[in-house]
Amino acid sequence: MEYQNKNNLAVRILHFPIVKIIIGIFTCILSTFLVKQFITKPLFSSIISSDTMVMVIVTLLGTLVMTATYYYLFKYYEKRTITELSFKPAIKELLGGFGLGLVVIALEFLILYLFGFYKITSFEGLQLFLAPLGFLIGAAMLEEIMFRGVLYRIMENWQGTIVALLVSAVLFELPHLMNPNGSVLGSITGVIFGLVTGIMYTYTKRLWLPFSFHLGWNLAQPIFGSNITGVDRFGVVFNAELKGDVLLTGTAMGIEDSILSVFTLIILFVIFYRGSIRNKNFQKRV
């Protein structure tokens, strides 16, 4: 009896939501790091001379490793079908989310252009679609698996949608506070972005829409000449000139530090929030 009680206690601890979150995040990050450092990076560095190409391959393979780790970990850990990575609706949601992310940012720059605040000065080239694109894919999938697949999903099942939205959005923004050129408005935008991708997960109960929206949103910014959350190392497709109130045009942080991004994200949040309620995907605290 004493052994059985200890065993039951161990099971309860292992399946306590916070413990599951810690195990999920740690396992996915560790497996990806180990494969990258000890397998893919040494292997491809030895057979490919281009550091850029090696980085692209290693990053994309790392994304696959992380996704597979998440899939098999929770398949056996939670003994369930991993519906959040279902293939059937994947193409539709990937294309839709990616297109939505691109269109939203393009719309913001169109508004700035119409008011005379934005002007393309030159075409820089398509280097953005080499190594930086691979990095953006990896970064978007990393953040969506960590913050939506693990943290948000488990929190939502445990404490309900509202708590999951608030907690995951704030925690999502915390690592971004270390990015250069940060600001209060930019941090607010980051939290709202976390709310949007969270409610996108609730709307579909899958990772494809928030991941592809995240990727489209990030990729569109350097396309139009903006930094991404203060980071300028990705390069740009078009060099652009921004004139006017920085409240509209954004600071060195980029277009995310603009009230235009705040407004467009709030609109998206309301749309998917209402859609989630309509689809009866909203969850209450257990």
Side-chain angles (χ1 to χ4, degrees):
M1 181 65 72
E2 183 179 352
Y3 173 78
Q4 186 177 8
N5 289 337
K6 288 182 179 179
N7 188 50
N8 290 338
L9 177 60
V11 171
R12 288 199 299 271
I13 292 174
L14 187 62
H15 287 274
F16 187 67
I18 294 178
V19 175
K20 288 193 344 186
I21 290 170
I22 294 172
I23 290 175
I25 291 175
F26 178 79
T27 304
C28 289
I29 291 178
L30 180 62
S31 64
T32 306
F33 173 79
L34 291 176
V35 170
K36 176 181 177 180
Q37 291 299 317
F38 298 104
I39 300 178
T40 56
K41 191 173 182 179
L43 173 63
F44 289 103
S45 294
S46 66
I47 60 178
I48 299 176
S49 59
S50 170
D51 291 338
T52 298
M53 186 57 65
V54 169
M55 189 179 84
V56 171
I57 295 173
V58 169
T59 300
L60 293 179
L61 288 177
T63 303
L64 292 176
V65 169
M66 179 176 296
T67 306
T69 300
Y70 173 89
Y71 179 91
Y72 287 106
L73 171 65
F74 286 104
K75 178 180 179 180
Y76 294 105
Y77 191 176
E78 298 178 331
K79 295 180 174 59
R80 65 181 180 88
T81 302
I82 309 301
T83 54
E84 62 268 31
L85 290 174
S86 299
F87 287 109
K88 187 175 181 181
I91 299 300
K92 178 181 178 181
E93 291 174 9
L94 285 170
L95 292 177
F98 184 71
L100 181 61
L102 289 175
V103 168
V104 167
I105 292 296
L107 179 61
E108 293 179 18
F109 280 106
L110 176 61
I111 292 172
L112 291 176
Y113 171 77
L114 293 176
F115 280 93
F117 298 147
Y118 174 77
K119 178 183 178 182
I120 293 176
T121 57
S122 64
F123 175 67
E124 183 67 21
L126 299 177
Q127 295 87 348
L128 175 68
F129 295 97
L130 297 176
L133 176 58
F135 177 83
L136 291 175
I137 291 172
M141 189 51 119
L142 166 66
E143 292 182 341
E144 292 312 311
I145 285 180
M146 295 300 99
F147 290 101
R148 256 59 70 178
V150 179
L151 175 62
Y152 182 83
R153 177 183 60 80
I154 294 173
M155 282 292 298
E156 186 179 39
N157 291 336
W158 178 36
Q159 294 291 324
T161 301
I162 295 297
V163 173
L165 282 169
L166 295 175
V167 171
S168 65
V170 172
L171 292 180
F172 169 75
E173 177 55 21
L174 287 182
H176 296 88
L177 295 178
M178 296 182 290
N179 287 351
N181 305 309
S183 72
V184 174
L185 182 59
S187 296
I188 292 173
T189 304
V191 172
I192 299 174
F193 185 88
L195 292 173
V196 171
T197 47
I199 200 64
M200 282 179 171
Y201 175 84
T202 292
Y203 179 74
T204 62
K205 293 299 181 182
R206 287 178 292 273
L207 287 169
W208 306 124
L209 182 61
F211 159 69
S212 57
F213 173 76
H214 194 157
L215 177 60
W217 172 276
N218 281 352
L219 181 62
Q221 293 174 62
I223 286 178
F224 291 102
S226 171
N227 288 347
I228 306 175
T229 57
V231 181
D232 61 2
R233 68 174 180 267
F234 299 104
V236 296
V237 173
F238 294 102
N239 288 308
E241 185 179 273
L242 288 162
K243 291 182 178 180
D245 194 330
V246 294
L247 195 60
L248 284 172
T249 62
T251 61
M253 183 178 181
I255 193 65
E256 289 182 347
D257 191 22
S258 163
I259 58 172
L260 290 177
S261 289
V262 172
F263 288 148
T264 52
L265 287 172
I266 289 175
I267 292 170
L268 286 176
F269 178 78
V270 171
I271 291 171
F272 284 100
Y273 185 94
R274 290 171 62 88
S276 297
I277 294 176
R278 186 172 58 250
N279 293 346
K280 299 181 179 180
N281 286 344
F282 235 68
Q283 293 181 222
K284 296 181 179 180
R285 181 176 179 178
V286 177

